[in-house]
Amino acid sequence: MHSGESLRSALIDCAGRGRLPDFLSRLSRRELTFLRHDWEVWAHPHQLPPTGDWRCWLLMGGRGAGKTRAGAEWIRALVATAQGGRTDDGLRIALIAETHLDAREVMVEGVSGLLAVHPRDERPQWQPSRRRLEWPNGAVAQVFSSEDPDALRGPQFHFAWCDELAKWRHAREVWDMLQFGLRLGRRPRQLVTTTPRPVPLLKEVMADPETRVVSAPTESNAAHLAAGFVAAIRARYAGTRLARQELDGELVEAREGAMWSREGLDAIRVRQIPPLERIVVAVDPPASSGKRSDACGIIAAGIDEQDRVHVLADRSLAAATPAQWARAAVVLWRDLDADCLVAEVNQGGEMVSAVISNVDPGVPVRAVRARRGKWLRAEPVAMLYEQDRVRHVGAFPDLEDEMTDFTREGLSNGRSPDRLDALVYALHELALADRGTPRLRSI
């Protein structure tokens, strides 16, 4: 068998001379397996770790730019090159995603995740009940969620891979706890793979002198995406802020003239929910269903005895059928033991209440009609924020994207601000109208 280096050199040489099929046909199964997992051969430059001394590698890329594969291969290489093979304590790694489900389905079991990138005989053992991966040489990776910062108190690590940091629910607390835990080895390091959003924490990480920032557009990985995907998505979103963020991997600052600012929303973020007097779930149904339909905004909020509103959840759905969004709204209503479900009926009229009733006839539905434009409806709600009467319990990235992009002209991508509309209905119901005697409870 050829050495790894000679195989790599021969592959590159034959590819350059147009003789790749002939070269591959003469290789053994073992050699083909080696080349398949030889990441340096297949990786794009942005998918390989930066050179030099750094503590954080920040890989910001568009959708499909190969961020997950880069993260999984980085972890695989760290484990493979751990000094001395099996160590007394073993390499300790943190894997952090927005939720535990995201970590499992993307970072661990995904098509570009940790299990997929390893050759079969080197593959770590995944223990779902313990949320950890164990390698044959003693290395261990533990999975964490941005929803539970306290889980990072105590464990310590050599390395960490943080996925989609710009979407983390309790980003600041989780990041801080991780920094305290990165204390093993001679040079602890972390990789952040994320689609950029101008959230304060991400901007701070970018500005850190020990961070190496690498950006990559979706096109950089086009060879591994469905034929025509990039062209189709570019044609649809060309010139929009969404394209710059989601396709170009560009950090787009808040839109001039937007009703809300990132800094303002970050300042009202809390973790604890006080006893609430009233909770509502608000729904902004789409006018149609299907792949090109607007999303269905589904937002929950509650008000406390100090008359302060707390935004509790965003369960909005894209391309959902009436039965699907009605079910999601009812599930949230049940989860929070909400008082009523507020539904906008401009588009569907009595059908909206009927669809919800089909899921659960016991849900009290309050139908509302929008009689003014979206900007005028949102102004009183924005004033509640200015009066310091609103709190966000954690982060709601998609909702907050709409809030900080919303101007008198609407959203920059021309679409309907469905999550924001649902938020407006919820806060109008709780804080801008008299709804009778409240009941006090905790959730």
Side-chain angles (χ1 to χ4, degrees):
M1 176 179 173
H2 297 83
S3 68
E5 189 61 40
S6 65
L7 264 179
R8 186 180 300 125
S9 299
L11 175 73
I12 295 171
D13 177 63
C14 290
R17 292 189 290 151
R19 298 176 56 188
L20 186 58
D22 179 60
F23 170 73
L24 294 175
S25 69
R26 291 185 278 108
L27 296 182
S28 68
R29 189 180 193 86
R30 187 177 179 186
E31 288 170 329
L32 287 170
T33 299
F34 171 82
L35 282 178
R36 178 188 173 192
H37 293 282
D38 187 8
W39 180 233
E40 289 188 17
V41 168
W42 309 110
H44 300 296
H46 71 268
Q47 293 177 303
L48 296 174
T51 58
D53 191 25
W54 49 269
R55 179 176 174 83
C56 178
W57 169 21
L58 172 56
L59 176 53
M60 298 195 305
R63 301 284 186 94
K67 302 184 295 295
T68 302
R69 180 69 184 270
E73 292 286 1
W74 183 64
I75 296 296
R76 176 189 164 213
L78 292 173
V79 172
T81 57
Q83 283 192 343
R86 186 177 182 87
T87 60
D88 292 338
D89 298 323
L91 207 62
R92 292 293 179 266
I93 302 165
L95 305 175
I96 310 174
E98 181 184 3
T99 66
H100 284 299
L101 182 63
D102 291 321
R104 175 171 179 167
E105 295 195 347
V106 177
M107 302 174 81
V108 177
E109 297 180 344
V111 294
S112 299
L114 283 160
L115 296 181
V117 301
H118 280 78
R120 190 173 298 275
D121 59 345
E122 298 175 15
R123 192 168 295 165
Q125 181 184 8
W126 169 232
Q127 301 176 3
S129 61
R130 300 183 68 188
R131 293 175 179 151
R132 60 189 266 154
L133 286 161
E134 293 185 356
W135 278 264
N137 71 349
V140 173
Q142 294 175 260
V143 167
F144 299 91
S145 161
S146 75
E147 297 176 319
D148 185 11
D150 290 335
L152 282 156
R153 292 182 182 273
Q156 51 187 355
F157 312 100
H158 296 86
F159 303 102
W161 172 20
C162 307
D163 192 47
E164 294 297 350
L165 177 141
K167 291 182 64 181
W168 283 5
R169 182 73 186 273
H170 299 294
R172 178 75 58 182
E173 296 93 332
V174 171
W175 182 259
D176 289 343
M177 289 301 99
L178 174 61
Q179 304 317 299
F180 285 118
L182 277 172
R183 56 179 185 261
L184 295 180
R186 290 177 298 177
R187 187 56 167 154
R189 285 180 163 180
Q190 55 200 328
L191 164 61
V192 176
T193 52
T194 189
T195 302
R197 279 178 163 134
V199 296
L201 176 59
L202 184 58
K203 290 193 283 188
E204 288 179 22
V205 173
M206 292 177 66
D208 191 318
E210 291 196 291
T211 296
R212 297 294 177 268
V213 181
V214 179
S215 298
T218 299
E219 281 90 342
S220 63
N221 197 41
H224 299 285
L225 303 176
F229 166 76
V230 174
I233 209 76
R234 281 285 181 198
R236 184 173 183 182
Y237 294 103
T240 67
R241 294 175 74 253
L242 194 63
R244 292 168 59 194
Q245 175 178 289
E246 302 294 325
L247 297 178
D248 297 329
E250 181 183 341
L251 188 72
V252 184
E253 293 291 350
R255 188 181 179 194
E256 186 176 352
M259 190 171 275
W260 285 270
S261 71
R262 295 278 182 184
E263 293 74 15
L265 294 178
D266 198 51
I268 62 170
R269 218 174 299 290
V270 297
R271 286 182 60 193
Q272 303 299 322
I273 306 173
L276 299 174
E277 294 186 334
R278 194 161 184 266
I279 297 172
V280 301
V281 174
V283 180
D284 178 52
S288 61
S289 60
K291 291 183 178 181
R292 292 186 174 273
S293 67
D294 293 328
C296 177
I298 305 174
I299 301 293
I303 191 166
D304 63 22
E305 56 186 352
Q306 275 75 49
D307 216 24
R308 180 170 284 159
V309 177
H310 294 256
V311 180
L312 305 172
D314 177 4
R315 299 277 181 88
S316 304
L317 292 176
T321 66
Q324 289 171 331
W325 59 250
R327 190 177 302 111
V330 170
V331 168
L332 181 57
W333 179 83
R334 291 171 179 163
D335 288 347
L336 298 178
D337 187 26
D339 294 87
C340 79
L341 197 153
V342 180
E344 189 266 327
V345 297
N346 281 41
Q347 302 291 345
E350 294 182 359
M351 181 275 291
V352 173
S353 298
V355 170
I356 296 170
S357 181
N358 285 340
V359 177
D360 186 344
V363 176
V365 178
R366 174 172 168 75
V368 295
R369 286 190 179 276
R371 291 186 170 84
R372 297 186 296 169
K374 295 179 185 295
W375 178 269
L376 292 176
R377 294 202 306 268
E379 277 187 319
V381 171
M383 190 168 294
L384 292 176
Y385 281 81
E386 293 173 5
Q387 295 169 342
D388 196 34
R389 291 182 56 194
V390 184
R391 294 289 182 269
H392 283 202
V393 184
F396 304 100
D398 294 315
L399 168 63
E400 291 168 11
D401 277 355
E402 288 191 2
M403 296 173 73
T404 55
D405 185 42
F406 183 67
T407 69
R408 289 184 181 275
E409 289 73 40
L411 298 182
S412 62
N413 61 10
R415 304 200 66 147
S416 174
D418 309 293
R419 298 169 193 268
L420 175 56
D421 280 344
L423 174 78
V424 167
Y425 294 132
L427 269 62
H428 266 280
E429 177 70 16
L430 288 169
L432 299 170
D434 182 12
R435 296 293 166 228
T437 306
R439 59 190 178 106
L440 187 67
R441 74 288 186 67
S442 300
I443 62 169

